[in-house]
Amino acid sequence: MSEPKAPTPAPGDTYKGWLFKWTNYIKGYQRRWFVLSNGLLSYYRTQAEMGHTCRGTINLATANIAVEDSCNFVISNGGTQTYHLKASSEVERQRWITALELAKAKAFRMQAESDDSGDDSTPPATGQGAGSRNSEVQSTLRTLGSKVEDLSTCNDLIAKHGSALQRSLSELEGVRLGGETSEKIRQVTERATLFRITSNAMINACRDFLALAQTHSKRWQKALQAEREQRVRLEETLEQLAKQHNHLERAFRGATVLPASQSNPAIDSKGPVSGKGDASDEDEENEFFDACEDVQEFITVPADPKYHRRSGSNVSGISSELGMDDGTTSLDEQSLASNPESPQSQELVPVRKRRTRIPDKPNYSLNLWSIMKNCIGKELSKIPMPVNFNEPLSMLQRLSEDLEYYELLDRAAKCQSSLEQMCYVAAFTVSSYSTTVHRTGKPFNPLLGETFELDRVQESGYRSLCEQVSHHPPAAAHHAISERGWTLRQEIALASKFRGKYLSIMPLGSIHCIFEKSTNHYTWKKVTTTVHNIIVGKLWIDQSGEIDVVNHKTGDRCHLKFAPYSYFSRDVARKVTGVVTDKDGKAHYVLSGTWDEKMEYSRVMQSSRRGENGADGRQKTVYQTLKAKELWRKTPLPEGAENMYYFSTLALTLNELEEGVAPTDSRRRPDQRLMEQGRWEEANAEKQRLEEKQRTVRREREREANRAASPSEEAEEVEIASEPSETTYKTETLHGSHPPAYSMEGPYGAPVKSGHQDNYKSMWFEQLVDPVTGEPTHIYKGGYWEAKEQGNWDSCPDIF
């Protein structure tokens, strides 16, 4: 479920990674690149800044590290520097805390050694590291060894001369008084002198040894104390990690929020809800988790240990025990969490090698005067916007990116349970937004009649076709079919509201997914996309709202909630939560995750109502769930994606030239091709030519429609702007897999009205009333792939 755990850094290692740093109440938390090295914590806006621009550095030797909650922590040096940081998860926060504590202990030790060795003639250089410290220790040991050898030599000399002096004294006692006396006294005097000299040498050697030992004693004591403190910290950290080992994956999930309208009024309340005080020593997972700061309308807690012990081997028994229908509502936990149909095992060897790079995005500066001078004397709706604001993909290609994680539908098609299938469909719904996080470039407006095919039958088992079927209002139809038993179709139009600081884009229309084997028919709508910082600042994208995924055959439903971003929330950004219920409203699965990273599921074993009411006066629903398991995880972007418009691996291949596609295919669009090649001035000129050409065709088509409607009267020619250019980029930017809002709007979102409806009919789709939703929609009528096989495109219009 969680991302692969990086090894805990050793004291000498460099630790790097992304953290969210609090900036101010306007911008809130901002993503920054942090580097921990040599006791210093530095941060940069991007990894590319590491070579030239450091935004701030704090010395950990005197810093205080405090943990605020599961993801937030604070680093302060007691002065002017204070960093309020937030990690993406509790595990990531713990890794950083461990690395910071180790680095702090090392920095403190190095500072103490530097202070103590201030009087030394040649203190070791900071950069020498462990090798320098070892060299210093060896030198000290050699000096002490030399002094010990001097003491040993002096000891031998004292013993030798002491024995000689003793003999002389003995001989002196037996000497008779006479001529020998003076000679004996002289010998005793000489030997006593030698003994005194040797004793003095011994005393000096001892004094030197004592002085040297005293010099290094203080340093050793401090080093020993620092090692003891570091050992205590390591033991505490290790103990904490051991206690958290069985809780980490649950700590990420958090509590999920279910609207009261989706709550089951007849929730099964049998069996008390286990609290923390009832935790069993045999199962450390029996713990409550309230992971949402917002007003919670339901809470998930781990299920009773009996469910954990039996879930792996007797799931059907649990289903019977809970009164669940064994045919449609039971779920083999193994099949859902570790489906053998992994992306690696599913993929066949492709018949052609797809490209993995496109030309890097040129760094062209935008001159507003160059835009405005071309607008003098023109109608506002005809003012062209340069391709500087675009990305080299059509909106139809962006719509096809919904199939980035087609494997989820492949797995769903193999599910025996409709509720299990619903989990995969819900995960697929969320995954379609994962490509929108960094994609702030505006895709090209599709021309009326423009198409885009995505044929991946040999590689992935599916083929897809998109067509721009309407211009007023703008709408794109999409049809995809897979050899693995599923069909996806949608027609998306949208409405937008410009609110000064941000633009809200509300997609209109339903998405349908039909599975051939089970005949289950799912529908859902898209959430609202919000583009922030329209006037001033850096553009960023958020998805918010609610989605109801409905199975029209069984009545199953999944209610998903996309939480809007808040500057003041400590919750995980871009959070998505949901509950899967059957036709009777009984909850079976809880979903949680983020729309830009991953989705997980937890099976509900029991549910009940909490006694106290929430902040809004409603009771909270408590779900006892099994351990969370992963449904979907975003594939990392390819290397160098920041220079290629942040395209994913699939997006890099969408505009690659292919033989046999229709002449109306987006790959053949000349202005888009020129932009991809970095020839932006030529792309701007070509873009204006295409827009003017479509206006001319539209006017002619309306004349014909007017003549057909009034054959006895000469049709009045009303000149209108058939292809209103993107008059304002930021107010018309569209992010995500949605058709364009900007082609139906003039400046500031005002609708552009035409005088007459033309008689245009789409080439490959026909408009019908959907029998499930009752909405008018364009449905694929066939003929495209047959025309491709025959190479016959005579019926296609010349739009480029």
Side-chain angles (χ1 to χ4, degrees), residues 193-496:
T193 300
L194 290 174
F195 185 82
R196 185 181 70 251
I197 294 173
T198 306
S199 299
N200 289 337
M202 179 70 170
I203 292 172
N204 292 334
C206 290
R207 184 183 296 112
D208 293 340
F209 181 86
L210 180 61
L212 187 62
Q214 288 176 342
T215 301
H216 292 279
S217 174
K218 185 178 180 181
R219 178 186 298 180
W220 290 340
Q221 288 176 358
K222 286 188 176 181
L224 180 60
Q225 182 64 24
E227 291 294 333
R228 287 175 177 172
E229 293 176 356
Q230 182 178 351
R231 178 182 176 183
V232 171
R233 282 192 292 268
L234 287 174
E235 289 176 348
E236 292 175 351
T237 302
L238 195 60
E239 182 180 1
Q240 183 181 5
L241 290 175
K243 289 180 179 180
Q244 293 178 349
H245 179 71
N246 292 324
H247 303 296
L248 287 178
E249 292 186 353
R250 288 185 177 278
F252 295 153
R253 285 184 303 142
T256 49
V257 181
L258 178 67
S261 61
Q262 296 297 321
S263 300
N264 181 15
I267 291 290
D268 182 12
S269 59
K270 289 186 285 186
V273 178
S274 301
K276 282 187 177 180
D278 300 329
S280 170
D281 294 336
E282 298 179 359
D283 187 4
E284 294 184 357
E285 292 183 352
N286 280 351
E287 185 174 352
F288 284 87
F289 293 98
D290 295 347
C292 183
E293 288 188 349
D294 301 330
V295 178
Q296 300 177 21
E297 294 168 1
F298 77 79
I299 302 174
T300 59
V301 298
D304 192 89
K306 65 182 180 180
Y307 298 124
H308 290 276
R309 288 194 291 268
R310 299 175 59 186
S311 61
S313 59
N314 190 16
V315 177
S316 61
I318 296 176
S319 304
S320 301
E321 181 179 336
L322 296 179
M324 298 162 59
D325 185 271
D326 193 45
T328 59
T329 60
S330 64
L331 171 60
D332 187 345
E333 300 293 332
Q334 298 294 330
S335 68
L336 185 54
S338 56
N339 194 304
E341 289 275 329
S342 63
Q344 289 78 12
S345 63
Q346 276 191 349
E347 291 183 356
L348 303 175
V349 179
V351 295
R352 57 170 293 180
K353 184 178 180 180
R354 304 287 178 181
R355 67 180 184 181
T356 57
R357 290 196 62 83
I358 61 173
D360 288 352
K361 179 181 179 180
N363 188 19
Y364 289 153
S365 60
L366 182 62
N367 187 347
L368 292 179
W369 170 245
S370 65
I371 301 175
M372 299 303 297
K373 70 180 182 181
N374 296 325
C375 303
I376 298 175
K378 292 186 177 180
E379 294 182 18
L380 195 56
S381 63
K382 295 184 180 181
I383 297 176
M385 289 303 295
V387 299
N388 302 55
F389 298 116
N390 288 49
E391 64 178 18
L393 286 181
S394 166
M395 182 53 64
L396 302 180
Q397 292 166 315
R398 289 289 294 270
L399 193 61
S400 300
E401 285 188 65
D402 279 3
L403 299 172
E404 176 100 24
Y405 299 97
Y406 67 92
E407 302 99 333
L408 292 169
L409 296 182
D410 289 348
R411 298 178 193 173
K414 294 181 176 296
C415 293
Q416 300 297 322
S417 165
S418 62
L419 292 170
E420 174 186 355
Q421 193 174 72
M422 176 67 81
C423 291
Y424 281 111
V425 174
F428 174 79
T429 302
V430 175
S431 71
S432 64
Y433 296 95
S434 64
T435 61
T436 67
V437 182
H438 305 293
R439 301 276 289 277
T440 56
K442 184 183 78 66
F444 278 80
N445 270 6
L447 302 175
L448 187 61
E450 184 176 336
T451 61
F452 177 73
E453 69 162 71
L454 185 62
D455 192 349
R456 294 290 193 269
V457 171
Q458 294 183 348
E459 302 164 62
S460 306
Y462 72 86
R463 55 175 35 161
S464 162
L465 177 65
C466 292
E467 181 181 0
Q468 186 76 0
V469 295
S470 174
H471 210 64
H472 294 290
H478 181 206
H479 180 87
I481 187 169
S482 172
E483 295 178 341
R484 296 167 187 170
W486 55 266
T487 299
L488 183 75
R489 60 178 173 86
Q490 58 182 316
E491 179 184 345
I492 299 295
L494 50 86
S496 60

Side-chain angles (χ1 to χ4, degrees), residues 68 73 99 134-135 161 216 465 491 656 720-721 734 758 763:
E68 290 189 333
F73 58 99
N134 291 336
S135 176
H161 295 306
H216 292 279
L465 177 65
E491 179 184 345
E656 186 176 9
I720 64 169
L734 181 65
D758 62 27
M763 188 71 190

Side-chain angles (χ1 to χ4, degrees), residues 649-676:
T649 303
L650 174 63
L652 289 173
T653 67
L654 293 180
N655 206 41
E656 186 176 9
L657 288 171
E658 292 188 14
E659 296 181 359
V661 298
T664 55
D665 196 273
S666 298
R667 299 176 181 89
R668 300 183 181 274
R669 182 165 176 165
D671 53 349
Q672 186 173 301
R673 180 66 55 190
L674 289 169
M675 182 191 177
E676 181 185 283

